[in-house]
């Protein structure tokens, strides 16, 4: 299926590592199957981090093994360092992502390394990948790119300079993350355009939060600036435990609704996405799930970008 | 104070007529005072409709009388017809707004008149205004401009044609309303640009809902298309009782946050807006109030478009 944008679902990693409960492995697999069945073609399925730090991710190798059986799916995992990358590459993932903070304060709090040390870590992971699994893609996600609750404003020059350094270190994609929910649409447009002017097609995903309700407006702004990959999380699950006050990834359901209504093809089926939401709910009973489109339902006359009528709407449109 | 956009607060009308409870008059006045103190310079304070239809609006003349004492405030009221306009003009309002449905089905359900009859009604109100209060401005708000839950899609040509007819009938401003929460950003940009190409500076407010979470993205799109007046409602109060499934005006608090963060001056102070929110809460105990910015609070490093630091942030930025 031809699509105009790639929705990269981060819930099984970003979402599940942010909640207190641990989702049982069988439920994780069922949820990932549901997301895949809904048409999602890139899923960040977990983190390769020590289980004593994030017990929710202890089963990541098993989750990857299952996800690799889903046809057409790019299986992605977060790794904080070379050791994590070794384990991830051994598991067979298609794509790695490393978080690199644009704020020095956040970098030290999140991974206990300076930004420069993280650029070196990315360079080492790229070398490892080249030697052992040359087809695997390496993404660096620039967290706190739009501001930091620890440091305050983050100079745009710092973000651009780091993006260039990461491209030179060999990262295939460099994304920008609004870790702390501080981004605004004018800033999103400006910063993505500046980064694109420097590193061109290596410019990666927009990872935006809905902390102050601006998540979709910021996605629209990123799309205006040429971004075509968007991270989001089913039910808005997730946030960052080291950024006080931050919460709420952009909700996949609402993001898909916005793009499809605009005529931008995501390849995602909203009826099936609602079924995946039930799988998420079953695996995390009692956890609040967000999303305005799931609350309101689809609207009469809504059609997908390619003209299809949602199953739920047939006979009413 | 110079501003870049006008936030037109519709809560005391659109919000209060949509809730079951009736806010006592003294609380309405305190809330309006709070909104004015926060810097809002246009407030739709009520509807001139028969009290048996909307008992929440029975005290509208008294509310107008009080609002007229607030310096620099444009006092606005909704009128469905000539009879309402007569009462509104007698009360001394500065601006009238008439709802004109772009969908014939919604027009019949909402005001029991066809669209053509409503254009005639606007023409008659303009004549009445000319004769009795020539300084009063007349706005027509095109409801269901982006879709209708009763009719389904609303042809854009219908909207453009009605906007032209209303301008010819003498309306000073013609706004577009997403009554049913069906608008998407591509459509908002396209339709406002088409209307502006036809009626130029008579293009009025964007009145957008957050039913499926797209409220702020749609406001951003309208701003891109040259719109400079935005209707919103404190706490997201409001909706339309005749459009099943519709709910939730854009939240004033979040809209102000978005624009100020972008560098677009609204003239509204967020600390004082939070105080007005408490006045709203006191007048409608138990009614749910929405808003992500009120939930999350302001963020470290946030400054207003003119560089001021919010009182709540002083010492932390």
């Amino acid at each position: 299926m031809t699509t105009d944008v790639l929705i990269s679902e981060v819930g099984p990693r970003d979402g599940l590592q942010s909640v207190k409960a641990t989702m049982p492995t069988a439920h994780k697999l069922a949820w990932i199957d549901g997301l895949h069945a809904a048409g999602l073609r890139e899923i960040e399925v977990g983190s390769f981090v020590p289980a004593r730090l994030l017990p929710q991710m202890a089963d990541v190798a098993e989750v990857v093994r299952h996800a690799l059986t889903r046809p057409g799916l790019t299986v992605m995992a977060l790794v904080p360092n070379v050791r994590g990358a070794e384990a991830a590459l051994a598991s067979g993932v298609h794509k790695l992502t490393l978080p690199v903070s644009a704020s020095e304060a956040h970098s030290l709090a999140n991974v206990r390394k300076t930004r420069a040390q993280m650029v070196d870590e990315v360079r080492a992971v790229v070398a490892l990948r080249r030697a052992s699994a040359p087809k695997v893609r390496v993404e660096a996600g620039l967290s706190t790119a739009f501001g930091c609750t620890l440091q305050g404003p983050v100079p745009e020059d710092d973000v651009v300079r780091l993006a260039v350094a990461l491209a030179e270190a060999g990262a295939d994609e460099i994304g920008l993350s609004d870790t702390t929910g501080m981004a605004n649409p004018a800033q999103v447009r400006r910063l993505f355009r500046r980064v694109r002017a420097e590193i061109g097609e290596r410019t990666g995903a927009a990872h935006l939060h809905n902390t102050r309700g601006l998540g979709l407006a910021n996605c629209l702004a990123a799309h205006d600036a040429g971004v075509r990959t968007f991270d989001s999380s089913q039910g808005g699950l997730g946030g960052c435990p080291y950024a006080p006050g931050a919460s709420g990834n952009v909700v996949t359901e609402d993001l898909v609704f916005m793009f499809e209504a605009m005529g931008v093809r995501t390849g995602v089926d909203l009826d099936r996405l609602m079924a995946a939401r039930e799988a998420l709910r079953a695996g995390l009973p009692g956890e609040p799930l967000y999303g305005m489109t799931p609350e309101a339902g689809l609207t009469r006359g809504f059609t997908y970008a390619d003209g299809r009528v949602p199953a739920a709407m047939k006979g009413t449109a």
Side-chain angles (χ1 to χ4, degrees), chain A:
Chain A
M1 188 192 285
T2 309
T3 60
D4 302 308
V5 293
L6 176 67
I7 308 293
S8 183
E9 170 65 42
V10 301
R13 194 279 302 170
D14 192 339
L16 294 186
Q17 78 170 48
S18 305
V19 296
K20 278 194 178 164
T22 296
M23 188 187 275
T25 307
H27 281 285
K28 285 192 190 182
L29 307 188
W31 181 29
I32 289 169
D33 286 354
L35 292 166
H36 175 263
L40 287 155
R41 287 298 172 262
E42 181 168 290
I43 304 178
E44 203 172 311
V45 300
S47 291
F48 283 88
V49 288
R52 66 182 161 76
L53 294 181
L54 279 177
Q56 301 97 322
M57 296 291 136
D59 59 1
V60 60
E62 186 178 348
V63 173
V64 168
R65 195 156 50 239
H66 176 82
L68 289 170
T69 67
R70 299 297 92 190
L73 180 65
T74 298
V75 180
M76 206 172 162
L78 183 139
V79 301
N81 49 35
V82 171
R83 184 186 294 197
E86 286 169 346
L89 291 172
S91 79
V93 296
H94 302 122
K95 191 170 171 181
L96 301 176
T97 183
L98 285 105
V100 179
S101 297
S103 141
E104 192 82 353
H106 184 265
S107 190
L108 294 168
N110 200 36
V111 292
R112 296 171 184 272
K113 288 199 177 77
T114 65
R115 296 173 294 182
Q117 286 172 323
M118 279 307 292
V119 173
D120 291 342
E121 204 75 31
V122 170
R123 189 177 293 108
V125 169
V126 167
L128 180 70
R129 176 272 311 261
R130 197 176 293 128
S132 66
K135 284 188 182 165
V136 171
R137 288 181 72 79
V138 175
E139 177 195 75
L142 269 171
S143 48
T144 64
F146 301 95
C148 172
T149 42
L150 302 169
Q151 170 182 316
V154 172
E156 294 185 3
D157 287 351
D158 285 14
V159 177
V160 174
R161 200 179 307 118
L162 269 167
V164 170
L166 289 163
E168 287 172 358
D172 301 300
E173 301 171 24
I174 295 100
L176 303 185
S177 301
D178 182 24
T179 314
T180 58
M182 294 166 80
N184 71 72
Q187 180 189 26
V188 169
R189 282 182 186 147
R190 197 167 56 232
L191 200 47
F192 267 109
R193 283 183 180 139
R194 283 193 63 185
V195 166
R196 179 170 295 275
E198 293 289 337
I199 64 169
E201 290 308 305
R202 292 198 186 216
T203 309
H207 177 107
L208 299 164
H209 282 201
N210 200 35
T211 314
R212 290 174 184 81
L214 275 60
L216 291 184
N218 285 334
C219 286
L220 177 66
H223 188 261
D224 292 341
V227 172
R228 292 297 177 264
T229 303
F230 295 85
D231 289 359
S232 64
S233 174
Q234 182 152 47
L237 216 63
C240 173
Y242 299 103
S247 71
N249 284 297
V250 165
V251 175
T252 304
E253 294 89 329
D254 292 340
L255 183 64
V256 168
F257 176 82
M258 179 174 83
F259 277 136
E260 291 289 339
M262 287 175 67
V264 174
R265 294 169 298 179
T266 65
V268 180
D269 182 279
L270 284 163
D271 294 300
R272 289 181 186 163
L273 197 56
M274 295 305 149
R277 188 174 167 98
E278 292 314 308
L280 164 57
R281 203 187 295 281
L284 276 184
E287 189 68 30
L289 298 186
Y290 301 95
M292 301 290 283
T293 303
E295 294 286 331
L298 294 178
T299 169
R300 194 161 173 206
F302 171 83
T303 54
Y304 288 101
D306 65 5
R308 278 178 305 124
V309 175
M313 294 287 109
K314 277 181 186 154
T316 70

